[in-house]
Amino acid sequence: MSDQELARDLGFLEAYTLGLGTMIGAGIFVLPGIVAESAGPASMVSFVIGGIVALLAALSLSELATGMPKAGGSYYYVNHALGSFFGTIVGWGMWGGLMFATAFYMLGFGQYLLNQPSDALLVVLAALIMASLLVAINYRGVKETGSLQNVIVISLVGLILVFITVGLVSVNPDLLTPFTAGEGWAAVGATAGTVFVTFIGFEVIATSAEEIKDPGRNLPLSMIAAVVTPTILYVLVMLVSTGLLPVPDLAASDVPVADVAAVAAGVFGSLTIAGFTVEFAVIGSGIMIIGAILATISSANASILSAARVNFAMGRDKILTNWLNEIHDRYRTPYRAIIATGVVILLLIASPLPIATLADVAAFMFLVTYALVHIAVVVLRRANPEEYEPDFLIPSALYPAVPILGFIACVGVMLQMAWEVQAISLGIVLIGILWYAFYAKDQALSTTLIGEAVAPTEDETTTDATYRIVVPVSNPETERPLITYAAASAASQDVDAEIVAVNVIEVPPQMSPAQIEFEEERVETQQALLENAREIAEDLDVGIRTRAIVGRDAGEILLNVLSEEDANHVLLGWAGERRKRDVLFGSTIDPVLERASCDVTLVKNPSERPKRIVTLAGGGPHAPVSARRAGELHRAFPESTLTLLNVQPEPDENEDGSDPNEIGQETISEVATQADLDPKEYEESVIVSDDVRQTLVEEIRKYDTVCVGATGTSTVAQALYGSIPQTIVQESSGTVVMARGENRAPRTFRQALVQRLGGESTQTA
């Protein structure tokens, strides 16, 4: 049985925006009024403290996440380093913290939507409706929510930068004194706990560690960036807020950032157009209200997703019942976990708990989690399990200072928080302890530092001279002939060769890829395909490895596999149909054709025993590749015949009198030489016709297997549109093999930029 693996399809930017999406949310829009009332302008320092605590946690999390890249984030690391007792506490704490945070975000949404206090009936109703809508969206598994989230995050960052730029010009230094308010510097420490709810977003990055490319680089960088960016923005927002509005006015506001924006934009006066006067103060306030609404929705959506993933991770370790993790037959989402999470969120929104308390409890639970994360790093370092080799290690100059200071900082902030917050939070911890004592203790899987804490790694290396052919398999009917064709290619190589059979299961963003284990039918189908691939390879006496992958984009996943395997050739089954939605080959094949650096072969209607093989020996750039594929098939099936076909146009009266038959023979000879074909292996066929396309279509009907090279100099999908090869594909009822060689086209600026930010190698195969 093949070990399940998750596709690494998140680069630095994707991971960064994933974390930032939960951090540029309600905190930056709702908290200014709450924290200004407690600490005055010194609340800027509270954000700095919160950022430092989060940064220390990010460093420890980065090491753990690259050493144990499994879904579940901090819960998983603590559970597998410290045992199921602490794992149960952290699991319940993270789930509870995310639900409290979501309730906080939704009440902030209601405040900005209606410009009323968070406990107003209409605000609560608006929060309940929006929360229900988000739960329903995640229940149904709307795929586009991921892309929308990125757009919202980028828009919000731009909006906040404009707010800061305009506001800094008008800051009144007199309003910044006295710098502290209320209880002085003691309040600053307590407020640091309140603001920490804004820093829980980077946990989402760790939760997705299995899906991040080059995790040793991209995971810590994205985490650090996702902490530093909002810290700077929060400090500047508080500077502008307390420097433009008196603290009492800021504390009394239900839409504090919008009111500050009104003051900042108000200095520009008004604008009259066609008799209508527009106040810039109104425009500024309105824009920030829209931004706040989008931010709170974005944060809440990301938190609901994360909460469901924590449910899954706990179920996987039998700390929670797997009943919660059942996958919906139609929507492919963990619908029970989403519903359970949604119900608790709605109850919290409707509860009498103040909005600040919701934020505080969420922050407290994550501070508990990160305190234990720091301990987990020390335990793993001291235990030094043989397999624990993180791609990122806390630098020796900072270890053990980072985990020790991080633990002390987390505990210190928790001790500064209000007693009622500590009471509610400790109540959640108590629930976790009782759950462990009466359920999880007897059910939970036994974990050890050496065994379960580290994800398995590939035994094979790709530094040898092996010729490697990747074969995606998904259809039992075409699996044997595809592997047979791959074996034919392998047998023709002068070096050792192996086949890598890959099956990809796609899942929606609302579902953690690791949750696929609860879709038994899909997993069984995948495993059956790969087991069959091994049996076929054994019959053919060819080496094979199998990879079972779960991810969100099959095309991108296959490209990653080709890169990881340093593949020389990828051979794919193909329906041969052209749909408008998929441009030419379909969404999975398109990116492979356009961007794979190795040889690419598409096979339509593969036959298990080709008899009459023909390859089009024309002047196209990939004709030799097509001839090479045809020769490989002919050698694998010695009873077959191989014909190299060339059709020449009738000579024009004004031409120099050259013989088209000689031109055709020379072309065939040149193609055969480049394809390493011996003249004894093939027959020549040169036809002269005044209708090349129609003649080719008629001729190929005499053969059961047609090999054709892709044409043109642009991307394959563009080049084949309306081309002779495409006509042949449409007209042929037998097997069609379409091939192209290595793709060494220069990278576009966008590709180079993405590659650089993603930390990928700039070399090509």
Side-chain angles (χ1 to χ4, degrees):
M1 180 174 179
S2 295
D3 289 333
Q4 209 88 38
E5 56 181 298
L6 306 188
R8 291 193 179 277
D9 49 14
L10 300 179
F12 166 77
L13 284 178
E14 290 87 353
Y16 171 55
T17 55
L18 183 68
L20 200 61
T22 59
M23 299 172 74
I24 304 296
I28 206 163
F29 290 97
V30 180
L31 286 179
I34 296 173
V35 299
E37 182 178 18
S38 301
S43 53
M44 286 183 280
V45 179
S46 299
F47 279 105
V48 173
I49 294 172
I52 292 173
V53 174
L55 188 60
L56 292 171
L59 289 171
S60 288
L61 269 175
S62 294
E63 176 170 330
L64 293 173
T66 58
M68 295 183 285
K70 287 286 186 180
S74 295
Y75 154 75
Y76 179 85
Y77 315 140
V78 171
N79 186 60
H80 288 260
L82 306 181
S84 54
F85 173 76
F86 291 104
T88 304
I89 293 173
V90 168
W92 275 97
M94 287 181 65
W95 189 20
L98 288 166
M99 291 186 291
F100 271 82
T102 304
F104 165 66
Y105 299 144
M106 287 290 86
L107 286 175
F109 161 82
Q111 279 187 257
Y112 271 88
L113 182 68
L114 301 170
N115 195 6
Q116 293 184 27
S118 61
D119 56 356
L121 178 60
L122 289 178
V123 169
V124 174
L125 288 175
L128 289 171
I129 292 171
M130 179 51 68
S132 300
L133 180 60
L134 289 177
V135 171
I137 289 173
N138 283 284
Y139 179 96
R140 288 181 60 88
V142 179
K143 190 172 184 178
E144 286 73 17
T145 55
S147 300
L148 178 61
Q149 183 112 336
N150 289 341
V151 173
I152 292 175
V153 172
I154 294 171
S155 301
L156 288 174
V157 171
L159 188 64
I160 293 166
L161 288 174
V162 172
F163 169 84
I164 292 170
T165 302
V166 174
L168 285 175
V169 177
S170 304
V171 166
N172 181 359
D174 293 337
L175 293 177
L176 299 177
T177 55
F179 192 60
T180 59
E183 299 179 10
W185 287 104
V188 173
T191 306
T194 301
V195 304
F196 196 76
V197 71
T198 62
F199 292 101
I200 66 176
F202 65 90
E203 170 69 31
V204 179
I205 301 174
T207 304
S208 305
E210 282 181 282
E211 306 164 53
I212 296 176
K213 301 175 186 176
D214 190 8
R217 174 188 183 275
N218 289 331
L219 194 144
L221 281 182
S222 58
M223 275 189 152
I224 292 170
V227 170
V228 172
T229 301
T231 300
I232 295 172
L233 293 179
Y234 293 156
V235 170
L236 292 176
V237 166
M238 286 309 302
L239 174 61
V240 170
S241 299
T242 54
L244 290 182
L245 274 185
V247 168
D249 295 346
L250 195 62
S253 175
D254 297 315
V255 288
V257 174
D259 287 346
V260 173
V263 174
V267 300
F268 298 103
S270 61
L271 179 66
T272 301
I273 302 176
F276 293 95
T277 300
V278 180
E279 298 287 341
F280 279 104
V282 175
I283 294 175
S285 177
I287 291 175
M288 295 310 292
I289 287 174
I290 293 173
I293 290 172
L294 291 175
T296 49
I297 292 174
S298 171
S299 295
N301 182 63
S303 296
I304 292 171
L305 282 172
S306 297
R309 290 191 175 197
V310 173
N311 286 161
F312 157 69
M314 295 173 73
R316 178 176 58 190
D317 296 326
K318 301 190 182 303
I319 288 177
L320 279 182
T321 171
N322 274 333
W323 181 87
L324 278 174
N325 289 317
E326 182 171 318
I327 303 300
H328 197 285
D329 291 338
R330 178 180 177 187
Y331 301 128
R332 304 295 184 190
T333 57
Y335 67 102
R336 287 176 176 170
I338 291 172
I339 290 175
T341 299
V343 168
V344 177
I345 290 170
L346 295 178
L347 291 174
L348 289 173
I349 292 172
S351 74
L353 291 175
I355 186 172
T357 301
L358 293 173
D360 284 345
V361 172
F364 192 101
M365 296 318 304
F366 274 89
L367 287 167
V368 170
T369 296
Y370 295 143
L372 291 173
V373 161
H374 289 301
I375 294 177
V377 171
V378 175
V379 169
L380 280 165
R381 284 282 192 104
R382 289 180 64 85
N384 193 28
E386 183 175 307
E387 296 89 350
Y388 182 68
E389 297 179 359
D391 293 325
F392 169 80
L393 280 171
I394 298 172
S396 56
L398 300 177
Y399 181 86
V402 165
I404 292 174
L405 290 176
F407 175 81
I408 294 173
C410 288
V411 173
V413 172
M414 286 189 287
L415 292 176
Q416 297 296 315
M417 300 178 78
W419 69 267
E420 60 268 25
V421 172
Q422 295 179 1
I424 295 172
S425 302
L426 292 176
I428 297 174
V429 172
L430 181 59
I431 290 174
I433 293 173
L434 293 175
W435 183 266
Y436 174 80
F438 293 102
Y439 178 83
K441 184 177 181 179
D442 296 326
Q443 302 291 332
L445 298 176
S446 175
T447 60
T448 65
L449 293 176
I450 296 176
E452 298 294 330
V454 182
T457 57
E458 291 285 342
D459 293 329
E460 293 80 13
T461 62
T462 58
T463 56
D464 58 351
T466 302
Y467 185 90
R468 197 161 279 105
I469 308 167
V470 172
V471 183
V473 293
S474 59
N475 185 348
E477 295 181 2
T478 61
E479 185 175 18
R480 175 172 286 274
L482 286 178
I483 293 177
T484 301
Y485 286 19
S489 181
S492 294
Q493 307 307 316
D494 295 330
V495 296
D496 291 339
E498 75 166 344
I499 297 171
V500 180
V502 180
N503 180 267
V504 178
I505 297 178
E506 285 188 313
V507 297
Q510 284 77 11
M511 174 180 171
S512 166
Q515 284 176 279
I516 194 65
E517 66 183 66
F518 294 103
E519 294 202 66
E520 294 182 3
E521 184 176 346
R522 296 178 82 191
V523 173
E524 288 174 359
T525 298
Q526 182 180 63
Q527 295 299 331
L529 279 166
L530 297 178
E531 177 60 32
N532 191 44
R534 289 188 286 271
E535 293 175 358
I536 295 169
E538 186 176 350
D539 292 342
L540 298 172
D541 194 25
V542 62
I544 194 169
R545 281 189 294 112
T546 58
R547 295 183 62 175
I549 306 179
V550 184
R552 298 188 177 86
D553 188 323
E556 294 296 327
I557 292 167
L558 288 178
L559 285 172
N560 288 339
V561 169
L562 296 178
S563 175
E564 293 166 3
E565 297 289 350
D566 193 19
N568 303 92
H569 184 187
V570 57
L571 190 148
L572 306 94
W574 173 39
E577 298 176 355
R578 178 178 177 274
R579 299 177 297 174
K580 288 184 178 180
R581 180 174 65 87
D582 293 333
V583 182
L584 185 60
F585 297 110
S587 58
T588 298
I589 293 179
D590 272 344
V592 176
L593 277 169
E594 296 183 4
R595 292 157 52 194
S597 59
C598 62
D599 285 4
V600 178
T601 302
L602 304 181
V603 185
K604 172 192 171 186
N605 298 332
S607 168
E608 288 197 30
R609 301 196 70 82
K611 296 179 181 178
R612 291 176 54 81
I613 306 169
V614 64
T615 181
L616 305 190
H622 300 295
V625 183
S626 169
R628 186 176 297 115
R629 299 288 91 89
E632 291 167 352
L633 283 177
H634 175 56
R635 296 184 196 109
F637 300 94
E639 70 279 7
S640 65
T641 61
L642 172 60
T643 301
L644 269 62
L645 172 65
N646 181 276
V647 178
Q648 290 291 321
E650 291 279 3
D652 189 87
E653 294 180 359
N654 297 323
E655 290 186 1
D656 57 6
S658 55
D659 186 353
N661 283 287
E662 291 183 2
I663 295 175
Q665 290 171 355
E666 290 175 0
T667 303
I668 288 176
S669 178
E670 184 178 346
V671 168
T673 300
Q674 294 182 45
D676 297 324
L677 293 178
D678 189 290
K680 297 178 181 179
E681 291 185 289
Y682 64 89
E683 300 174 357
E684 293 183 1
S685 178
V686 179
I687 301 175
V688 180
S689 171
D690 57 0
D691 189 339
V692 174
R693 184 185 298 267
Q694 185 58 35
T695 301
L696 280 170
V697 170
E698 292 174 357
E699 283 296 312
I700 64 170
R701 289 173 179 160
K702 301 176 183 178
Y703 302 88
D704 59 67
T705 302
V706 181
C707 297
V708 59
T711 60
T713 56
S714 61
T715 61
V716 176
Q718 294 170 334
L720 290 181
Y721 178 74
S723 67
I724 288 177
Q726 183 62 22
T727 301
I728 291 172
V729 169
Q730 294 170 346
E731 296 293 335
S732 176
S733 60
T735 300
V736 178
V737 177
M738 183 173 289
R740 77 148 172 83
E742 293 181 339
N743 182 4
R744 296 183 180 274
R747 292 169 298 139
T748 64
F749 173 76
R750 178 182 177 277
Q751 290 171 332
L753 181 62
V754 170
Q755 193 173 59
R756 172 61 61 185
L757 291 174
E760 300 172 8
S761 171
T762 57
Q763 298 178 350
T764 57

